[in-house]
Amino acid sequence: MAILVAGTVAFDSVRTPFGAAERILGGSAAHFAVAASYFAPVRLIAVVGEDFGDEHLVPFRERGVDLAGLKRQAGKTFFWSGVYHDNLNDRTTLETQLNVLADFDPVVPEAWRSTPVVFLANVDPDLQARVLDQVSRPALVAADTMNFWIEGKPESLRRLLSRVDLLLVNDGEIRQLTGRFNLVEAAEAARALGPSVVVVKRGEHGVLVFEGDAVFALPAFPLRRVVDPTGAGDAFAGGFLGAIAERIDRGERDWRRAAVLGSVLASYQVEAFSLDRIRRLGPEEIRDRFRAFQDLTRFGPLAD
Ligand code: AMP
């Protein structure tokens, strides 16, 4: 099943305790699209500026991402810069320049208007809503957001969430969104806003999936070397929704498998800057890390 993703395609400047990179290819939709492309056909809606050369399209083209909804507009590409704290779980945004995003009017190509799975990656919630308005009765609508929009556009965000089936956010974001510190309470409060499934990404502490009466918890893959956590959340979402789009039955087994595949993609994402690692994954690398997750979390009965 195809996935339509709308979000940012960006230039990022990132500093981590292990290195720094200037104006590298990033953005919420970019990391998502490349990660999801391993599981499902991906259709990308985003805007870039005149400073975005064709060379930056190569990772998307190589991964078969459909770029018919990527618009190049007069002005500069969205720019974000951030610095990670020593724990790598917290970061401070230094600068967000909306640039061409400020007056982007997204148009979903006619042929994409019945795409079954929609991912509204982190971007202005009014823009997320305008994309959703153009898709007719999708089987699944998922969304992400971040502090910038939770603070900047709270009413738009609440309106959007009432139309969303699945919310994927990190722990800090769900606390900020709901005003609840306890994550179980925060997930309940988030579900009261609309989404029936809530996924809380917790960086190196893994992920919690709240679905029906079930809660599923998975650790992050213990890595010796994390180069840059940027985009880990979007890569998780790509693996997760890609896996769901692959098998839309959506029983508990499917949600669990999706959470593992999301974690696999996120674990590769953080091994390099930009899309450098996830754009070149072999099927055996995905399979091997999936099995490593099975080993990591397997345990026997309480008593033999
Ligand atoms: P993540 O690390 O998964 O939260 O995503 C990081 C990506 O989000 C970076 O590549 C940024 O370009 C992008 N980003 C940062 N701030 C924003 C924002 N306010 N709206 C949309 N995308 C953003």
Side-chain angles (χ1 to χ4, degrees):
M1 242 179 221
I3 305 180
L4 183 139
V5 55
T8 47
V9 170
F11 288 129
D12 292 340
S13 289
V14 184
R15 193 147 35 93
T16 80
F18 308 106
E22 296 290 323
R23 293 185 64 78
I24 51 174
L25 176 59
S28 55
H31 295 112
F32 176 92
V34 170
S37 72
Y38 289 94
F39 308 96
V42 180
R43 302 164 170 178
L44 177 72
I45 306 267
V47 63
V48 292
E50 291 155 319
D51 53 354
F52 197 89
D54 281 351
E55 69 278 14
H56 297 301
L57 298 176
V58 174
F60 304 112
R61 294 221 164 101
E62 281 177 357
R63 291 299 318 144
V65 174
D66 195 332
L67 299 175
L70 181 70
K71 193 168 168 199
R72 194 179 270 133
Q73 211 161 280
K76 282 195 196 162
T77 301
F78 177 90
F79 173 79
W80 174 79
S81 70
V83 53
Y84 285 85
H85 305 184
D86 285 342
N87 65 18
L88 283 174
N89 246 16
D90 298 316
R91 70 180 175 206
T92 303
T93 290
L94 301 177
E95 215 181 331
T96 303
Q97 293 176 9
L98 296 180
N99 297 331
V100 288
L101 192 68
D103 44 31
F104 176 43
D105 188 18
V107 176
V108 177
E110 195 65 44
W112 293 5
R113 295 195 177 181
S114 52
T115 309
V117 179
V118 176
F119 182 57
L120 305 167
N122 175 31
V123 75
D124 182 334
D126 289 325
L127 209 141
Q128 291 174 309
R130 293 212 299 279
V131 170
L132 192 52
D133 289 343
Q134 297 172 57
V135 186
S136 73
R137 283 178 285 133
L140 183 72
V141 179
D144 187 4
T145 191
M146 78 184 281
N147 54 359
F148 190 86
W149 306 112
I150 298 170
E151 285 155 27
K153 292 210 167 177
E155 274 114 48
S156 301
L157 186 57
R158 277 179 180 245
R159 270 198 304 277
L160 178 84
L161 290 180
S162 69
R163 305 170 65 194
V164 164
D165 305 305
L166 195 160
L167 176 67
L168 290 123
V169 276
N170 72 31
D171 41 7
E173 290 156 358
I174 200 165
R175 286 177 172 135
Q176 191 181 19
L177 178 71
T178 63
R180 303 288 173 90
F181 187 80
N182 177 286
L183 291 178
V184 179
E185 283 186 5
E188 268 167 28
R191 289 169 102 179
L193 300 174
S196 58
V197 183
V198 171
V199 179
V200 184
K201 301 168 286 181
R202 304 172 62 222
E204 66 168 331
H205 304 299
V207 67
L208 292 170
V209 180
F210 297 86
E211 187 270 323
D213 293 329
V215 187
F216 176 43
L218 196 70
F221 193 72
L223 291 168
R224 187 173 292 275
R225 191 173 141 80
V226 173
V227 172
D228 176 14
T230 308
D234 305 307
F236 175 90
F240 185 87
L241 276 189
I244 290 292
E246 221 181 14
R247 296 189 187 178
I248 200 79
D249 304 352
R250 290 193 255 144
E252 194 189 321
R253 274 173 75 99
D254 297 310
W255 293 114
R256 286 173 179 255
R257 175 178 175 272
V260 179
L261 284 167
S263 304
V264 167
L265 269 292
S267 73
Y268 281 124
Q269 171 61 39
V270 303
E271 288 184 351
F273 284 106
S274 188
L275 304 168
D276 294 357
R277 185 72 178 98
I278 57 162
R279 62 184 282 205
R280 293 212 176 88
L281 289 177
E284 71 294 341
E285 289 179 296
I286 294 178
R287 194 192 53 221
D288 289 352
R289 198 156 283 177
F290 188 94
R291 288 190 182 145
F293 265 102
Q294 285 177 316
D295 286 342
L296 186 67
T297 52
R298 186 172 43 227
F299 47 88
L302 179 59
D304 292 312

